[in-house]
Amino acid sequence: GGGWNNSRDWDKREREVNPFDDDVNDKTDGAEQAFREQENTGINFDAYEDIPVETSGENVPPPVNTFAEIDLGELFNQNIRRCKYVKPTPIQRHAIPIALAGRDLMACAQTGSGKTAAFCFPIISSIMREQYVQRPRVARTVYPLALILSPTRELSCQIHDEAKKFSYQTGVKVVVAYGGAPINQQLRELERGVDILVATPGRLVDLLERARLSLQMIRYLALDEADRMLDMGFEPQIRKIVEQMDLPNRGVRQTMLFSATFPREIQRLASDFLSNYIFLAVGR
Ligand code: ADP
């Protein structure tokens, strides 16, 4: 495994490991089915028209009104259409331009507001642009470019499923790792290549301690439902991952922190993990 860390191997890697690749689809039709099952989500867009949005920080990039206003590329636009996303939700309208501008972000938004696309779109489109980046080759160690931390197995799998749909046929590889499941299978999956890793904090520490995974190449770090991760007692693991392993420092990586609430502990995480960040609150 791991033979795809340079540009020459990119096409081969995509063919071999992307489960949504055409060759595979001929047999399983996996993504086609996932897109067909994509229902109209019941997001009430009219109710969003007068939802309060607050932003603060230096030079806040203006929000967009449509997905077409952001240059995510034709492949990506097709996937947005396949997902039946017609127009961006408020968090997406504001957060996507902020993230595409390379800024750190502290976003307060409720579950179901469309956070997943808000952090996945910029991450995936940036990785598509730098897909030929040279990664180290050290025996059996993998070097993802983006890390998404989430509190539970269920949420991690949801993010993984969504991210796979958004990255369909782009060659960007998304892998999920969570606790309470055999680690060996996850290690094998990682070895087949990973650009975006979605993980729960405990399992990630485990993988890092086995030295089979390095965070040295991470450019994008997203923490989803940070308040819930703290409620679940994950602060030591999160601090270890962000502050004590080989993850690039803030200001070098780009960091997005999402939380439904903004209590003192989250404010402290924001001031420790983010650099010259933009604060965004949607709703209430
Ligand atoms: P959150 O991460 O904030 O909990 P999700 O990103 O899971 O919310 O979005 C909730 C649901 O709304 C999902 O089924 C998702 O596919 C759908 N959704 C998100 N953004 C849009 C959009 N712009 N248009 C239509 N549906 C959307």
Side-chain angles (χ1 to χ4, degrees):
W4 46 267
N5 282 327
N6 63 31
S7 57
R8 255 201 339 274
D9 289 340
W10 179 266
D11 289 338
K12 182 155 146 276
R13 168 172 85 124
E14 185 179 343
R15 250 195 332 276
E16 285 174 357
V17 303
N18 189 338
F20 288 163
D21 176 78
D22 279 333
D23 296 352
V24 182
N25 275 341
D26 288 344
K27 283 164 236 130
T28 66
D29 226 17
E32 304 298 331
Q33 187 173 338
F35 286 125
R36 259 200 311 278
E37 284 168 3
Q38 185 86 30
E39 288 171 13
N40 213 316
T41 52
I43 286 191
N44 181 355
F45 281 98
D46 294 334
Y48 273 148
E49 293 306 325
D50 35 38
I51 207 166
V53 175
E54 182 197 331
T55 54
S56 56
E58 280 173 32
N59 300 318
V60 181
V64 291
N65 289 308
T66 63
F67 288 120
E69 283 172 58
I70 4 171
D71 180 25
L72 295 166
E74 191 38 44
L75 253 182
F76 208 110
N77 288 339
Q78 264 179 37
N79 290 343
I80 296 176
R81 282 195 295 274
R82 287 190 178 108
C83 288
K84 302 191 174 69
Y85 286 18
V86 176
K87 64 182 212 182
T89 67
I91 182 88
Q92 292 162 4
R93 292 182 51 225
H94 290 264
I96 293 174
I98 291 170
L100 284 175
R103 298 293 300 277
D104 279 6
L105 173 67
M106 170 71 233
C108 294
Q110 302 299 319
T111 302
S113 56
K115 282 180 281 118
T116 312
F119 57 78
C120 282
F121 283 17
I123 290 175
I124 294 167
S125 78
S126 307
I127 290 180
M128 282 168 70
R129 263 180 260 121
E130 48 180 336
Q131 57 185 240
Y132 297 112
V133 68
Q134 194 81 35
R135 278 178 259 189
R137 275 173 187 277
V138 176
R140 306 194 85 189
T141 300
V142 295
Y143 297 83
L145 301 176
L147 174 64
I148 299 167
L149 284 176
S150 103
T152 63
R153 167 186 183 151
E154 187 200 18
L155 187 60
S156 298
C157 290
Q158 267 172 35
I159 296 169
H160 178 236
D161 289 344
E162 293 281 293
K164 271 197 308 193
K165 281 187 247 169
F166 302 151
S167 59
Y168 177 57
Q169 286 182 335
T170 63
V172 174
K173 178 85 197 291
V174 192
V175 174
V176 65
Y178 44 79
I183 201 164
N184 283 329
Q185 201 181 322
Q186 294 174 1
L187 283 168
R188 273 198 301 277
E189 190 62 37
L190 282 169
E191 265 184 41
R192 299 174 70 198
V194 53
D195 297 303
I196 302 176
L197 176 60
V198 185
T200 53
R203 177 53 55 100
L204 185 67
V205 167
D206 200 343
L207 288 166
L208 289 167
E209 283 172 347
R210 288 165 193 249
R212 297 287 294 279
L213 172 71
S214 164
L215 302 180
Q216 195 184 307
M217 299 292 286
I218 294 286
R219 288 133 143 80
Y220 313 96
L221 170 66
L223 295 96
D224 195 19
E225 306 211 357
D227 47 358
R228 220 167 129 205
M229 289 199 276
L230 296 194
D231 288 344
M232 292 172 70
F234 281 136
E235 182 159 2
Q237 287 86 346
I238 293 173
R239 289 207 176 262
K240 177 161 191 174
I241 292 161
V242 179
E243 296 175 328
Q244 288 158 42
M245 308 301 290
D246 56 352
L247 188 75
N249 289 336
R250 62 175 165 183
V252 178
R253 62 169 198 259
Q254 187 180 349
T255 312
M256 295 177 270
L257 186 51
F258 289 80
S259 179
T261 59
F262 197 51
R264 189 160 301 155
E265 307 82 75
I266 297 292
Q267 293 168 34
R268 210 159 40 225
L269 274 197
S271 70
D272 291 346
F273 291 178
L274 305 177
S275 163
N276 186 26
Y277 66 90
I278 290 170
F279 176 86
L280 167 64
V282 174
R284 252 178 319 142

